[in-house]
Amino acid sequence: MTLTLNHYLFVSGLLFATGLAGVMLRRNIIIIFMCLELMLNAANLSLVAFSRFNLVNGLPDYNAQVLVFFIITVAAAEVAVGLAIIVALFRARQTTHVEDISSLKF
Amino acid sequence: MSPILFYLFAALTLVFGVAVVANRNPVASALCLVVSFLGLAALFVGLDAYFIAVVQVLVYAGAVMVLFLFIIMLLDLKVEERRKLNIPAYAGGTLVAVAFVAQLWQVLERFGAGHAPMPAIWPASGQTSIDDVRNIGTTLFSTDNLPFQVIGALILVATIGVVVLSKRELK
């Protein structure tokens, strides 16, 4: 039983599906945000797996790992801005439940 | 990485990932997310991406999760009260996730390169290990130098944006 690329890609896909289901099932805006992070991490796992299985001169493909580094950086910035928006929203509406925030709903 | 460790950490990541979605208490969800990220970092170590694993623990399990917990406690969120179950949303969400996994399974079955075992890495002569951090640094500062500086500008913009958003009254 040896590990193949498919093992890692399938774990990554399952993690992505978990995050996707969370975004659609949950109604708490903070939990939705956590599930978004879960999906970003699933993408990172598949990138690192492709980097390790696609050797360049006997070493992993470091372009993929630099891309993962960028994704982590952007995700950190995104979390900071998103949580600031959530705090501003909570101040205005006193709720984090998405069904209570419907003034833009047609 | 031995298959046993892979299955252990993959199970850890996935089980706690599901726990994030299933928990009613936001604090418990956030703590489950930390464990899920740590399991993922262990998977990165298994893929010989030591630098990414360390960054994952520092940035995600450290900084991002502290931010999440800080906001949850600042907003003083309680355990969600049960509301009327939104059946179409639950059915739709589960259906889309299951369909995605089924389709992925189909694609991976036919993906020939995915069935090959993990190739062995051979470090350059004179090196004992793969010098992960040096290689990433070389790539980052030579071929990907422009994106790196753009990311710096992005973080500056994000910082200013957060300060503006956090002001008492938004104009």
Side-chain angles (χ1 to χ4, degrees):
Chain A
M1 185 76 215
T2 54
L3 290 176
T4 64
L5 181 54
N6 276 354
H7 284 88
Y8 285 98
L9 291 185
F10 196 63
V11 169
S12 160
L14 282 175
L15 198 61
F16 188 88
T18 310
L20 187 65
V23 168
M24 290 195 281
L25 296 182
R26 297 304 303 262
R27 289 286 164 264
N28 186 334
I29 201 160
I30 289 193
I31 309 271
I32 289 178
F33 214 59
M34 288 182 199
C35 291
L36 285 178
E37 296 304 309
L38 222 50
M39 288 158 81
L40 279 170
N41 274 285
N44 282 350
L45 178 60
S46 69
L47 276 170
V48 174
F50 274 118
S51 138
R52 176 63 182 80
F53 280 83
N54 179 29
L55 296 188
V56 180
N57 295 327
L59 291 174
D61 191 344
Y62 282 105
N63 286 312
Q65 298 200 11
V66 168
L67 183 57
V68 170
F69 178 73
F70 285 156
I71 293 174
I72 290 177
T73 320
V74 172
E78 175 232 332
V79 165
V81 174
L83 286 176
I85 291 176
I86 290 174
V87 170
L89 194 66
F90 191 81
R91 266 198 206 130
R93 296 293 175 86
Q94 274 75 45
T95 183
T96 55
H97 201 273
V98 287
E99 281 166 0
D100 297 340
I101 308 162
S102 55
S103 42
L104 282 180
K105 201 172 175 184
F106 183 62
Chain B
M1 185 182 219
S2 83
I4 298 165
L5 284 178
F6 168 78
Y7 286 116
L8 179 70
F9 287 121
L12 195 74
T13 308
L14 290 173
V15 166
F16 280 90
V18 171
V20 172
V21 180
N23 258 315
R24 296 209 149 260
N25 187 346
V27 178
S29 275
L31 293 177
C32 289
L33 197 58
V34 175
V35 180
S36 184
F37 285 164
L38 290 177
L40 207 57
L43 287 181
F44 288 160
V45 170
L47 286 165
D48 295 307
Y50 304 107
F51 177 70
I52 297 295
V54 170
V55 168
Q56 170 90 7
V57 172
L58 285 180
V59 175
Y60 269 117
V64 168
M65 291 325 297
V66 167
L67 207 57
F68 264 111
L69 284 172
F70 192 74
I71 296 299
I72 290 170
M73 293 184 183
L74 184 74
L75 301 185
D76 196 19
L77 297 180
K78 300 289 190 300
V79 176
E80 260 178 76
E81 75 276 28
R82 290 188 178 274
R83 299 207 179 190
K84 194 168 65 67
L85 214 59
N86 191 348
I87 302 290
Y90 271 66
T94 316
L95 191 73
V96 170
V98 169
F100 174 77
V101 172
Q103 195 160 27
L104 185 76
W105 180 263
Q106 291 284 318
V107 170
L108 289 184
E109 277 297 298
R110 295 180 193 186
F111 178 44
H115 293 290
M118 192 187 280
I121 44 180
W122 25 284
S125 58
Q127 293 178 0
T128 47
S129 64
I130 58 171
D131 270 353
D132 197 48
V133 180
R134 185 206 284 174
N135 289 325
I136 288 183
T138 311
T139 316
L140 195 59
F141 288 110
S142 56
T143 51
D144 292 334
N145 202 357
L146 179 66
F148 182 64
Q149 296 185 33
V150 172
I151 291 280
L154 176 83
I155 290 185
L156 178 67
V157 170
T159 314
I160 296 170
V162 168
V163 171
V164 171
L165 279 171
S166 309
K167 282 197 162 184
R168 204 16 94 173
E169 66 274 350
L170 288 170
K171 295 217 172 62

